[in-house]
Amino acid sequence: MNSGLLSGAGEIAIGIVILLGAIISLISAFGLIRLPDVYLRSHAATKSATLGVLFILVGAFLYFLFYEGHVSVKLLLGIVFVFLTSPVAGHLNGRAAYRSGVPLWKKSVQDDLEHTMAKERAEGQ
């Protein structure tokens, strides 16, 4: 009886983790559509989508661990791979866009690469 109650609570907790991941991924998709420039869209596409996917993968990992009784190495590798590659890819996409001359949104208030790019241009000439 008590084991069944814990089993049900665990399923609900894992379901909440997966649902939270799906909600974060949905918000990321809205950000990808609605944000005004490539840099903000890249932020939405990488950071929040990564968090959403990680929540979903962790929920699946916990399900297999507690209810199927085995550690899914594929899910662990997926978690590590997504955690490492997605933010780096977003950063590189943003940096490539900046170097290609894609303008910032007109209401952007901070340009951290402006001085670095000016210095690189001065050294290159």
Side-chain angles (χ1 to χ4, degrees):
M1 177 79 177
N2 204 8
S3 172
L5 184 63
L6 288 176
S7 177
E11 288 177 355
I12 290 172
I14 290 171
I16 289 172
V17 169
I18 292 175
L19 182 64
L20 184 62
I23 290 170
I24 291 171
S25 295
L26 181 66
I27 292 170
S28 174
F30 284 130
L32 192 61
I33 294 169
R34 297 287 301 163
L35 290 174
D37 71 349
V38 68
Y39 307 105
L40 296 173
R41 288 181 187 152
S42 174
H43 181 78
T46 57
K47 292 182 177 63
S48 57
T50 300
L51 183 64
V53 169
L54 288 179
F55 269 119
I56 292 171
L57 290 176
V58 166
F61 178 79
L62 292 176
Y63 177 80
F64 281 116
L65 181 65
F66 292 126
Y67 293 101
E68 298 293 326
H70 69 274
V71 175
S72 175
V73 177
K74 290 178 184 176
L75 284 172
L76 279 177
L77 289 174
I79 290 168
V80 170
F81 184 74
V82 169
F83 185 73
L84 291 177
T85 59
S86 184
V88 172
H91 174 77
L92 292 177
N93 283 337
R95 199 157 174 113
Y98 191 87
R99 287 183 179 272
S100 299
V102 176
L104 293 173
W105 182 39
K106 61 185 174 193
K107 292 183 180 178
S108 292
V109 294
Q110 187 172 350
D111 185 0
D112 288 338
L113 287 178
E114 182 179 16
H115 298 294
T116 304
M117 292 298 292
K119 185 177 176 182
E120 285 181 9
R121 276 187 229 118
E123 290 175 355
Q125 293 178 354

